[in-house]
Amino acid sequence: MNKEDAKNRITELTALLREHNYKYYVLSAPVISDYEFDFLLKELEELEAAFPEFKLPDSPTQRVGGEPTKEFKTVIHKYPMLSLSNSYSEGEISEFDARVRKLIDGNIEYTCEHKYDGVAIGLTYINGLLTTAVTRGDGTQGDDVTNNVKTIKSIPIRLRGDYPAELEVRGEIFMSIEGFKRLNKEREEKGENLFANPRNSASGTLKMQDPAIVAKRPLDCFIYNTPNEFDHISTHYESLKYLRSIGLKTSTNVAICRTVEDIYEYINDWNEGRVHLDYDIDGVVIKVNNLKQQKELGYTAKSPRWAIAYKFKAERAETRLLSIDYQVGRTGAVTPVANLEPVLLAGTTVKRASLHNADIMQKLDIRIKDLVYVEKGGEIIPKIVGVNTEARKKNTIPVTFAENCPECGTELVRNEGEAAYYCPNEDHCPPQIKGKLEHFISRKAMNIDSLGEGKIEMLFDHHLVNNIADLYDLTFDQLYGLEKVIVDQGKEKKISFQKKSAEKIIAGIEKSKEIPFFKVLFALGIRHVGETVAKKLALHFNNIDLLAEASSEALIEIDEIGEKIAESVINWFEKQEHKEIIVRLKEAGVQLANEASPMQISSDKLDGKSFVVSGVFSSYSREELKLLIEQNGGKNVGSISSKTDFVLAGDNMGPAKRQKAEKLGIPIITEEDFQQMIS
Ligand code: IVH
């Protein structure tokens, strides 16, 4: 591609991606698939790499995060970032309305909107470009977190349409509940501390020094205000609509209310409706809609007179604590669960509630027969939040956390710095054995889909399978006709394995012997060894024996592997039982080494040949393939031209690329073809 064409295409792609971003993140109405979007983004990345001089300041490729910041610069807000006065009852809303009406003549209209539970942010756009993003700080000055904010996809780097030369907007950065859960799951896998709630995880993320990490966290943002004034806009509602039209994400759940009753209705609707939102709100913000009236009302020292926040009360009930159960999870973590006298809470009868962990139990000084407060927050399982100690009777019984595992009797342990107690008997405690087996057969691990939770339970109950190696000793005769009693609509029923399903199970287990080493390593269920860590370990050590012998130092040397993971790996391989399992898996033919050590092959087999790698692959990542090409003497090029020798195509390679390769007569090869070439 010549310079002129490259420049034009870069400009075109930048604008195109901006529009698609807007449709996806702001309007929630994408017109192309994620894959097509990534494909265009990839094309832009490649062009920018080849012609860095044409990269535009608003390029969407910046979303991956820039250089780390040592210390955030302090920035003084051009307009102070105030807070809102809070209210907790309908009466207080009426008082607010009365205050407003006393100061303003004429018709009053309010807007009601969500009070997002996140972190306030002030954004400045100069000539349409995002120049600074500052946290609220003390209201007068805050931290410059621009590089981090640039990674948030719902915040435009460049505005669209008709925007003023200088624009300041205010909003709230938050993490979706799903994003928060996903992040915590990943952190748990890596043995990192968990975030308590989406708000903490948003504020913790925003203050991180490395934008590249921020880019991987699912932050989002709603814009709710601008201190700028516009000739053509006379209400807050219109200003939100305008902000949306120039590319900023504003909420669509804003309502105009003319009476206090309308406001109550909005509050009550969302107090119930918030459980269905994918983000946390902690109340409703009520604002005078007319901007001229807002100005007339003005501010107190701390907050505007034209707005008030209504904070939701968590739904709470009082009931009696009957007993405490201890539940052992698949990972061995033991959680206390309270059995309660049934009580109605937010429309459902609650009989059980979470008691969190030993520390909280102790802090609450909870006793059996106490009257306790139960709350239903954003979580599905209600929780105990307090004890009515005033109503405590003499017959209450103090409790101490279980010392032994309720399932297998083993003494529980608690690792330093962790809140949870664990049952250390990971290989013999029934829920843990079943958990390990279920993890082993799961889709991302050995992918034995002919077995499932129920079938694993059946095999375990019949003492046919006690650990993962036992699966490979199963025979058709053992499975055929195996029975289980289930209760279906109150009636006991016997089910048994038919010929077909027994055959399928055996075939599924057989097929799992083809699963590559890194997935097997993940399947073993070593604590803190998630998918990513397993891949890293497999790439580094090449086979299970090398990994089993690795020292803590050798493990820690690997990128992203810390002491916690290293210790867990070493402990796992030290156990005699695990050594035996490895021997048996090996004998069964399970892959415990990288095939032909692909990452260590180096040759001149691809000497002088140039490759374009495109699409999604099953055995390697794109980066790994590129590395292999280089290690074998080949060259990676960004885009297809007549000089390209091969196109290495994975799933979902874009149609344009395929067409181009075909037109130029360049061979399109698969991952398997490629493996052949270098083997
Ligand atoms: S308007 C002058 N609207 O609540 C202040 N604030 O104490 C105008 N917040 O720090 C704020 N959702 O971060 C406004 N829809 C919303 C909001 C909202 C959340 C936060 C904001 C501020 C705090 C107020």
Side-chain angles (χ1 to χ4, degrees):
M1 188 177 274
N2 69 30
K3 277 195 161 198
E4 185 66 25
D5 287 351
K7 189 177 174 191
N8 289 341
R9 184 66 180 151
I10 286 177
T11 314
E12 186 183 28
L13 281 171
T14 305
L16 191 64
L17 286 164
R18 179 167 61 242
E19 275 313 291
H20 284 310
N21 224 31
Y22 173 66
K23 290 197 172 100
Y24 185 95
Y25 290 104
V26 181
L27 302 184
S28 301
V31 291
I32 59 171
S33 68
D34 289 4
Y35 175 71
E36 284 168 303
F37 184 92
D38 287 345
F39 188 77
L40 293 172
L41 190 67
K42 183 96 206 307
E43 187 187 345
L44 180 61
E45 259 167 22
E46 288 173 357
L47 280 172
E48 283 177 350
F51 302 93
E53 66 272 34
F54 300 137
K55 180 169 171 169
L56 294 166
D58 60 324
S59 170
T61 58
Q62 297 170 64
R63 302 282 195 196
V64 293
E67 288 294 299
T69 332
K70 277 228 171 61
E71 213 172 297
F72 298 115
K73 231 174 42 199
T74 304
V75 177
I76 298 176
H77 299 301
K78 186 167 169 195
Y79 308 89
M81 282 177 84
L82 301 175
S83 58
L84 294 167
S85 52
N86 288 325
S87 64
Y88 300 90
S89 66
E90 292 187 352
E92 284 174 276
I93 302 286
S94 301
E95 285 166 21
F96 164 73
D97 175 58
R99 278 198 302 275
V100 168
R101 286 183 197 277
K102 212 169 146 192
L103 290 165
I104 300 285
D105 284 334
N107 262 344
I108 311 270
E109 225 177 52
Y110 297 102
T111 55
C112 286
E113 58 198 77
H114 293 165
K115 185 170 188 310
Y116 317 106
D117 196 9
V119 193
I121 193 82
L123 308 175
T124 308
Y125 286 88
I126 295 181
N127 296 324
L129 265 189
L130 175 62
T131 52
T132 26
V134 188
T135 60
R136 178 165 178 268
D138 63 3
T140 332
Q141 54 183 39
D143 287 337
D144 181 337
V145 289
T146 314
N147 288 338
N148 286 347
V149 166
K150 276 189 176 168
T151 67
I152 303 174
K153 301 206 177 64
S154 52
I155 295 182
I157 294 174
R158 177 183 285 282
L159 299 175
R160 57 198 293 287
D162 190 14
Y163 47 77
E166 192 172 335
L167 175 71
E168 206 37 77
V169 292
R170 301 284 161 79
E172 194 89 352
I173 290 179
F174 63 95
M175 195 176 281
S176 70
I177 295 170
E178 202 204 308
F180 158 74
K181 286 186 183 154
R182 197 164 19 131
L183 177 64
N184 258 358
K185 199 166 159 249
E186 278 169 27
R187 291 175 73 84
E188 194 176 4
E189 270 190 359
K190 288 194 198 153
E192 293 170 349
N193 288 337
L194 303 189
F195 285 117
N197 52 47
R199 206 201 82 81
N200 286 4
S201 94
S203 80
T205 301
L206 198 62
K207 293 279 176 62
M208 291 187 66
Q209 287 167 339
D210 188 353
I213 302 179
V214 181
K216 291 189 189 136
R217 303 260 182 98
L219 289 182
D220 203 337
C221 179
F222 276 123
I223 301 298
Y224 53 65
N225 240 4
T226 170
N228 282 53
E229 291 177 25
F230 302 89
D231 291 342
H232 64 290
I233 290 171
S234 60
T235 65
H236 171 62
Y237 192 82
E238 284 166 23
S239 82
L240 289 178
K241 250 168 76 179
Y242 166 68
L243 293 176
R244 171 172 272 246
S245 78
I246 59 171
L248 294 155
K249 174 164 164 171
T250 58
S251 169
T252 45
N253 293 315
V254 181
I256 294 179
C257 294
R258 294 196 170 78
T259 63
V260 177
E261 284 68 35
D262 287 351
I263 299 177
Y264 297 162
E265 200 177 313
Y266 183 93
I267 291 175
N268 290 329
D269 280 354
W270 282 109
N271 190 22
E272 281 175 24
R274 66 187 154 126
V275 292
H276 304 296
L277 290 171
D278 187 32
Y279 52 90
D280 277 342
I281 62 175
D282 59 345
V284 165
V285 181
I286 302 120
K287 298 173 183 169
V288 169
N289 193 23
N290 186 298
L291 297 173
K292 222 168 101 207
Q293 291 176 342
Q294 281 194 2
K295 233 179 171 174
E296 274 176 61
L297 287 160
Y299 296 82
T300 69
K302 279 188 286 184
S303 52
R305 285 200 191 87
W306 45 262
I308 194 165
Y310 174 90
K311 299 268 251 185
F312 290 136
K313 284 184 282 291
E315 297 245 16
R316 182 183 268 218
E318 196 186 54
T319 187
R320 203 168 292 282
L321 173 68
L322 303 175
S323 63
I324 297 173
D325 281 345
Y326 295 89
Q327 280 182 351
V328 189
R330 293 167 198 283
T331 56
V334 178
T335 40
V337 179
N339 292 310
L340 306 166
E341 217 159 74
V343 64
L344 203 65
L345 177 64
T348 50
T349 306
V350 174
K351 290 187 212 142
R352 283 160 78 76
S354 163
L355 255 172
H356 318 273
N357 57 44
D359 286 345
I360 295 184
M361 268 170 67
Q362 201 178 8
K363 222 189 255 161
L364 289 173
D365 178 29
I366 199 163
R367 303 183 188 180
I368 306 290
K369 293 192 185 168
D370 261 341
L371 276 175
V372 295
Y373 301 115
V374 198
E375 260 185 24
K376 221 176 196 177
E379 310 84 9
I380 301 158
I381 306 162
K383 54 185 189 238
I384 306 264
V385 291
V387 177
N388 183 351
T389 39
E390 278 172 21
R392 179 171 282 166
K393 300 235 176 72
K394 283 219 178 73
N395 64 354
T396 56
I397 309 157
V399 289
T400 44
F401 202 88
E403 287 173 6
N404 296 82
C405 174
E407 296 277 345
C408 70
T410 307
E411 199 176 317
L412 301 178
V413 294
R414 186 179 190 176
N415 293 334
E416 219 182 285
E418 283 181 17
Y421 274 94
Y422 276 91
C423 166
N425 186 19
E426 57 170 330
D427 298 308
H428 300 285
C429 178
Q432 296 192 65
I433 299 175
K434 283 186 259 180
K436 277 204 153 54
L437 287 163
E438 279 156 17
H439 169 73
F440 186 77
I441 62 160
S442 65
R443 196 176 50 82
K444 288 182 170 176
M446 302 305 275
N447 193 19
I448 310 178
D449 58 3
S450 48
L451 277 173
E453 239 174 76
K455 291 178 185 155
I456 287 288
E457 179 132 19
M458 207 161 151
L459 297 175
F460 176 78
D461 290 347
H462 281 91
H463 309 289
L464 287 174
V465 175
N466 259 308
N467 62 45
I468 54 177
D470 290 343
L471 286 171
Y472 293 91
D473 291 341
L474 282 175
T475 61
F476 173 82
D477 291 341
Q478 283 175 322
L479 295 175
Y480 184 38
L482 200 65
E483 282 180 345
K484 184 186 181 171
V485 179
I486 56 159
V487 183
D488 186 18
Q489 295 177 346
K491 280 192 207 139
E492 279 198 359
K493 257 188 172 173
K494 258 189 191 164
I495 55 162
S496 66
F497 279 144
Q498 299 305 305
K499 187 162 175 262
K500 253 231 169 88
S501 64
E503 275 169 2
K504 260 188 160 162
I505 293 172
I506 297 289
I509 294 173
E510 194 54 34
K511 185 130 197 352
S512 75
K513 295 177 184 171
E514 290 165 20
I515 295 288
F517 174 43
F518 70 90
K519 288 197 179 180
V520 179
L521 195 51
F522 168 61
L524 293 179
I526 304 173
R527 235 179 129 198
H528 305 321
V529 178
E531 270 182 285
T532 337
V533 171
K535 210 166 191 175
K536 290 219 150 100
L537 292 173
L539 270 177
H540 197 89
F541 290 102
N542 245 328
N543 67 46
I544 199 108
D545 300 323
L546 289 174
L547 174 63
E549 286 160 15
S551 66
S552 175
E553 293 76 38
L555 287 162
I556 290 169
E557 239 175 49
I558 306 171
D559 187 31
E560 275 191 55
I561 298 205
E563 269 169 38
K564 223 173 189 167
I565 300 178
E567 194 186 315
S568 168
V569 170
I570 289 174
N571 287 345
W572 197 90
F573 282 104
E574 258 171 11
K575 277 201 179 162
Q576 187 53 33
E577 271 177 291
H578 295 162
K579 287 182 184 158
E580 281 163 21
I581 285 180
I582 296 296
V583 170
R584 289 176 61 201
L585 290 178
K586 233 188 237 174
E587 279 168 4
V590 172
Q591 302 285 322
L592 292 169
N594 288 326
E595 256 192 349
S597 318
M599 300 315 287
Q600 285 186 359
I601 287 179
S602 70
S603 76
D604 50 11
K605 286 191 176 123
L606 308 178
D607 219 9
K609 298 273 184 268
S610 65
F611 287 77
V612 170
V613 184
S614 177
V616 183
F617 300 87
S618 52
S619 304
Y620 304 100
S621 71
R622 255 201 305 264
E623 291 320 306
E624 286 161 4
L625 286 169
K626 287 185 175 175
L627 191 68
L628 279 172
I629 291 173
E630 281 177 16
Q631 282 173 348
N632 289 282
K635 209 168 62 183
N636 290 297
V637 288
S639 53
I640 301 172
S641 74
S642 58
K643 291 196 197 112
T644 311
D645 290 300
F646 295 100
V647 174
L648 176 46
D651 285 344
N652 299 335
M653 184 176 82
K657 263 197 180 151
R658 187 171 286 277
Q659 252 174 26
K660 192 162 178 193
E662 278 165 2
K663 206 169 124 203
L664 294 171
I666 298 162
I668 301 175
I669 60 167
T670 64
E671 205 172 348
E672 289 76 31
D673 298 334
F674 177 74
Q675 252 167 338
Q676 286 280 328
M677 284 169 92
I678 58 169
S679 67

